Amino acid sequence: MCRHLAYLGPAVTLASLVQEPSHSLFEQSWSPRDMRGGGSVNADGFGLGWYVDGNSVRYRRNVPIWTDDNFPELAGSIRSGAVIAAVRNGTDGMPHTESSVSPFKVGNWLFSHNGRLPGYPESTVKLAEQLPVAELLKLDAPVDSALLFALVSNRLRDGITPADAVASVVREVESVAPGSRLNLLLTDGEQIVATSWTHSLRVRQTADSVTVSSEPFGSADWDEVPDRSLLVATATTLQITPMEGRE
């Protein structure tokens, strides 16, 4: 399963989040500590998303993060107050293309998925039927993560709040594909919405920043997000609520 993180706060380099700390996302790509549901390495691509003057920017590759010679210089030179990043462990039978790698993007929304959907794509046909045909044709790639983001994006366009959009998609997917692993990350550069659903998730908060990550990194203290929880945060606020029973 993949590893991912999101950060909001004072502008920092991408390297200070993704590469430099002990057990950083860079290290988690080949030495994760809490991979549930199979897999021991995240070598099927990586992606970074950040914001410049309020506009989202994305860099994705379909190679292991440690093989990209451009990555260290890139990550050390870019600063942002809103970052999302992921390393991918692709599911067997799904394409290993650059377009299959998180973060996925629509407008200023950036999205990552850590997990899998049992029986995909057959198990999610009824959910896919909710989407306009044009949206299905525009999917980045025929992978479960891209479909999840399309479902979330469709709700956002309908005016549903980000928290309710993410929570409703998780509940509906679990109903048609029981046993799904659905750790989702969504940000627009101002807020983070995340779920912990049968996968590890940690959060670190300071007076002016919040970081959400599949696994803790660096020397700071992290709090575990309980399973089946919804996290909503800005740089200065944090709310974690149980998802079961949330309507």
Side-chain angles (χ1 to χ4, degrees):
M1 298 296 107
C2 310
R3 307 281 83 183
H4 59 197
L5 67 80
Y7 166 85
L8 295 175
V12 296
T13 64
L14 302 187
S16 70
L17 290 171
V18 177
Q19 186 178 27
E20 295 170 355
S22 60
H23 198 60
S24 64
L25 190 69
F26 187 84
E27 181 179 328
Q28 291 171 32
S29 65
W30 72 80
S31 184
R33 294 174 180 167
D34 197 3
M35 292 277 280
R36 306 177 189 181
S40 59
V41 65
N42 299 284
D44 296 320
F46 71 96
L48 306 165
W50 63 96
Y51 291 79
V52 178
D53 297 329
N55 298 311
S56 62
V57 181
R58 184 176 55 167
Y59 178 75
R60 296 188 296 175
R61 295 293 310 280
N62 64 336
V63 299
I65 192 171
W66 65 82
T67 67
D68 185 340
D69 293 337
N70 296 315
F71 171 72
E73 186 173 1
L74 177 77
S77 63
I78 294 174
R79 300 177 63 88
S80 180
V83 177
I84 187 170
V87 290
R88 183 177 186 236
N89 180 333
T91 302
D92 290 343
M94 294 189 191
H96 295 273
T97 59
E98 186 176 287
S99 59
S100 303
V101 179
S102 296
F104 297 94
K105 174 179 173 176
V106 169
N108 256 14
W109 291 106
L110 295 172
F111 174 88
S112 177
H113 166 225
N114 171 17
R116 62 183 297 271
L117 278 59
Y120 175 87
E122 289 79 9
S123 61
T124 56
V125 168
K126 291 297 183 183
L127 295 182
E129 289 175 351
Q130 300 175 8
L131 297 172
V133 173
E135 295 304 314
L136 288 172
L137 294 175
K138 290 189 294 184
L139 288 182
D140 273 13
V143 295
D144 52 4
S145 300
L147 175 62
L148 287 171
F149 187 37
L151 292 168
V152 170
S153 299
N154 194 49
R155 286 160 169 76
L156 293 173
R157 283 190 293 270
D158 287 342
I160 298 175
T161 66
D164 287 338
V166 169
S168 63
V169 167
V170 169
R171 287 197 306 270
E172 291 183 23
V173 170
E174 175 64 21
S175 69
V176 299
S180 291
R181 296 185 180 274
L182 294 164
N183 276 29
L184 311 186
L185 272 181
L186 177 72
T187 186
D188 61 355
E190 299 291 335
Q191 62 184 311
I192 293 170
V193 178
T195 57
S196 172
W197 193 275
T198 71
H199 250 317
S200 60
L201 191 67
R202 301 295 184 102
V203 61
R204 179 178 70 193
Q205 185 180 32
T206 70
D208 60 357
S209 72
V210 64
T211 310
V212 181
S213 177
S214 298
E215 298 185 14
F217 57 85
S219 58
D221 292 332
W222 293 76
D223 293 319
E224 185 173 3
V225 179
D227 188 31
R228 298 180 184 251
S229 292
L230 177 75
L231 179 152
V232 180
T234 67
T236 57
T237 65
L238 173 65
Q239 183 180 28
I240 299 173
T241 56
M243 289 187 66
E244 292 183 323
R246 178 186 172 93
E247 297 295 341

